[in-house]
Amino acid sequence: MTGFDTFVVVDWSAAKGVRTPGKDAIWVGITRSGRDEAPRHFPTRRDAESWLADFLRAEIAAGRRTLVGFDFPFGYPEGFARAVCGSADPLALWDWLAERITDDARGVNNRFDVASAINRMFPGIGPFWGKPQEEGYPDIPYRGTHRDGHGMAEKRACDRAAGASSSVWQLFFNPTVGSQALMGLPMLSRLRRIDGVAAWPFEDWDEARAVLVEIWPGLIEPAIKAAGDGIRDAHQVRLLARALSRLPAEELRGMMQVQVQAPEEGWILGAGHGERLTALAASPLRPPPLSNDCFALPPGVDWTPVDDALALLRDRLRPVTGIKTVEVARADGRILAEAALARRANPPGANAAVDGYGFAHAATGEGPQTLPLVDGRAAAGAPFRGTVPEGHAIRILTGALLPGGVDTVVLEEDTRSDGAAVAFNGPVKRGANTRRAGEDVAAGDEALPVGHLLRAPDLALLSAVGLAEVPVRERLRVGVLSTGDELAAPGSTDDPGRTYDANRPMLLAMAARWGHSAVDLGHVADDRTALRDRLDGAAADVILTSGGASAGDEDHVSALLRETGSLTAWRIALKPGRPLALGMWDGKPVFGLPGNPVAAFVCALIFARPALAVMAGGPWPEPLAMQVPAGFTKRKKPGRREYLRARLRDGRAEVFASEGSGRISGLSWADGLVELPDGAVTVTEGDPVRFLPYAGFGLG
């Protein structure tokens, strides 16, 4: 069996207690089918193990082969397993530890007791060392220098090969690798019992559906440092999962077929390959380029109706941007690279919707009600820890978790209280003035879909369901280039033979309004060599050009695209803006827009906007349209769809006095377009027409 579909990296923790997202917590990074997923945090080891077991079973059932890496030693220096459990088999040692290590739901465990018992099996002092208090656990020395005569090597062969400085014997003081192993190996003992799971390199892993491996994030330390702000552990699991997923299948297989000198010690996957993994982790994830013939028209097509042209673009385009993980607080305006799944419910627990008094509904009825109050109260962030007996009530404030025994809240304004009891009139509806746990979003549900453009309200939702970071698409770099000898910079000359470049500032502003990174590629005269050089050096994912897109002597954009074999001259049946040259340059899509500003504007709205949205990783956006009465008359011939510059006044669509495509002032005069259909139509005042506001194109 070759290759893996899903890569999981687990940053384990031996810390005591329930951990909030941060350091010394458990983080899991996932890259599935080539896509990075947002790192997941787990408050306890029990939570993490339960999730991992369910995840492995689900991936196996779905037919996806999974590699799961853990950042703690899978084995000990040679001779340790036999001394402890009577067998050199490291898996027997895993089982031995699983029978003895305890770990409750609050993260309280007995690892120091087990380590004490193991140390008593060895001569001298050690090998385990490090503890919270110097006077506790007398069989464990406080410092590593206090050990002597235990007979165990300090490091395994793979630790030396990887350059790892930490020791498997260290139980306390950072890094607590020894404690991580004591708390992690029992978990591995249970996970490997799932049908289809094998532990590398101790078992036959080649045909396994899921393989457990030992990893060390220190192998990609430069990439982790370069990740910048945020939670280090979250960065390292995400980046190492990404790096492993990008290894060609045969290269990864070669790493896994390493000959281990001391088999019982295990091996760190990737030991000796740190530079290679770092390079793979550091580079942004990018999809393959579009093919050169992605814009090719079907045979026999001459004039292309607008709807057919849009359908071709929609079917043939896909995202061309990379993926990165960003903090939710910095994600405004970004496009989700994958569905955002709720880490926890919102609200996380049943709570009060008002200030008032809570009680069990079963203890109340119709007419006047009087219930004695328990001592204490429930407030947001300060829950009542006890249970409210039936027939009693408790003072409760808005947002407070409902204590045990409470399922209904009566509004404070509907009560009277002397501090010892509360009186109100019944009946009160069961569950009144309460919010159910997860009534907004349940844990594990999709909070937002892949491709969603994040806005301020979305950041509130993501934060509420526990997501500190999300994977997003890198901003699409839209290069804008003007061509033609006749163009000059605005205000640079008074020569009437020169035209000021109006398209470039307009198109750059449109790209920026749509949330992309607008890249000014400047102006190139009618010089094919200069144009080729400018295209070659374009730091962009897609290029919009204006001018030079037809078939004339000076139409160099079309000529260069023809040289690459990718040019498709779309003669689109619309007015204004019939010629649209589409092609590929060095893997980058090129949209050759008309040189006329009005035609360039319309073509950018109708064709470039949805195409750029898809290439940026979002869904295909349909323009906002509304039916409004016409405030004009017009007779239109069949054959082309027409877009008239228009604005709404008194609920009617007025159109610009002139349809001349050279009248740029009409674009500023208008606040939208009236779209007239492909066929013949006669419009009289009051007839319904289709109005497309600029705001619906993201230009409001």
Side-chain angles (χ1 to χ4, degrees), residues 604-628:
L605 289 186
I606 305 303
F607 298 106
R609 173 180 174 258
L612 296 178
V614 170
M615 288 187 281
W620 179 275
E622 296 291 346
L624 175 66
M626 58 184 73
Q627 292 288 332
V628 299

Side-chain angles (χ1 to χ4, degrees), residues 39 87 114 132 137 157 195 228 233 272 299 325 337 357 403 460 483 490 506 514 612 614:
S87 171
V114 174
Y137 302 104
D195 189 32
D233 293 346
T325 297
Y357 295 87
T483 68
M506 176 181 71
W514 294 333
L612 296 178
V614 170

Side-chain angles (χ1 to χ4, degrees), residues 390-460:
E390 187 168 322
H392 289 67
I394 185 172
R395 174 73 168 138
I396 192 166
L397 303 182
T398 303
L401 292 177
L402 299 184
V406 172
D407 61 12
T408 303
V409 174
V410 62
L411 187 66
E412 181 175 4
E413 289 85 343
D414 295 335
T415 67
R416 293 291 184 272
S417 176
D418 60 3
V422 61
F424 55 92
N425 288 313
V428 178
K429 185 179 178 180
R430 180 188 297 274
N433 301 309
T434 65
R435 306 184 185 103
R436 301 186 313 276
E439 71 176 21
D440 181 23
V441 181
D445 281 359
E446 181 178 283
L448 292 171
V450 61
H452 186 77
L453 178 63
L454 294 173
R455 306 156 301 162
D458 304 317
L459 306 191

Side-chain angles (χ1 to χ4, degrees), residues 69-265:
F70 297 85
D71 72 332
F72 55 80
F74 278 21
Y76 289 83
E78 192 172 13
F80 178 80
R82 184 176 296 279
V84 172
C85 63
S87 171
D89 180 4
L91 301 181
L93 178 63
W94 291 11
D95 296 340
W96 186 92
L97 289 171
E99 293 173 358
R100 291 162 176 79
I101 291 286
T102 61
D103 190 22
D104 69 16
R106 303 293 296 176
V108 178
N109 60 78
N110 67 339
R111 69 183 187 274
F112 291 105
D113 297 305
V114 174
S116 294
I118 293 174
N119 272 1
R120 290 195 292 271
M121 298 178 181
F122 288 83
I125 303 172
F128 288 111
W129 67 275
K131 52 189 177 181
Q133 294 88 30
E134 191 165 359
E135 63 277 6
Y137 302 104
D139 294 301
I140 301 176
Y142 187 64
R143 303 187 187 281
T145 54
H146 296 170
R147 295 175 297 159
D148 182 58
H150 53 74
M152 287 287 100
E154 191 63 21
K155 292 186 179 181
R156 302 170 297 157
C158 61
D159 296 325
R160 294 190 293 272
S165 59
S166 53
S167 168
V168 73
W169 308 121
Q170 184 176 337
L171 302 178
F172 204 69
F173 315 113
N174 285 330
T176 57
V177 174
S179 282
Q180 284 181 290
L182 285 180
M183 299 309 301
L185 294 179
M187 177 260 302
L188 296 185
S189 172
R190 293 182 286 269
L191 289 182
R192 62 174 285 267
R193 311 243 174 234
I194 297 173
D195 189 32
V197 176
W200 174 86
F202 309 126
E203 296 181 290
D204 183 8
W205 56 271
D206 205 25
E207 296 299 320
R209 298 302 310 169
V211 182
L212 313 178
V213 302
E214 178 184 342
I215 51 90
W216 181 50
L219 291 172
I220 60 165
E221 181 62 22
I224 296 170
K225 286 183 177 179
D229 297 337
I231 299 172
R232 174 186 170 85
D233 293 346
H235 286 319
Q236 68 186 22
V237 295
R238 172 179 59 84
L239 292 172
L240 189 49
R242 170 193 289 181
L244 292 170
S245 75
R246 293 181 177 183
L247 282 168
E250 288 306 312
E251 187 175 355
L252 176 59
R253 184 179 180 83
M255 291 185 186
M256 297 181 72
Q257 290 177 326
V258 63
Q259 296 299 311
V260 181
Q261 296 175 348
E264 72 182 82
E265 292 185 349

Side-chain angles (χ1 to χ4, degrees), residues 24-44:
D24 297 330
I26 296 174
W27 286 91
V28 177
I30 305 167
T31 298
R32 183 163 25 187
S33 300
R35 294 173 59 184
D36 293 351
E37 299 185 9
R40 297 171 180 261
H41 161 265
F42 295 92
T44 68

Side-chain angles (χ1 to χ4, degrees), residues 218-222 255 270-280:
L219 291 172
I220 60 165
E221 181 62 22
M255 291 185 186
H273 301 274
E275 289 188 8
R276 170 68 168 148
L277 291 170
T278 296
L280 293 172

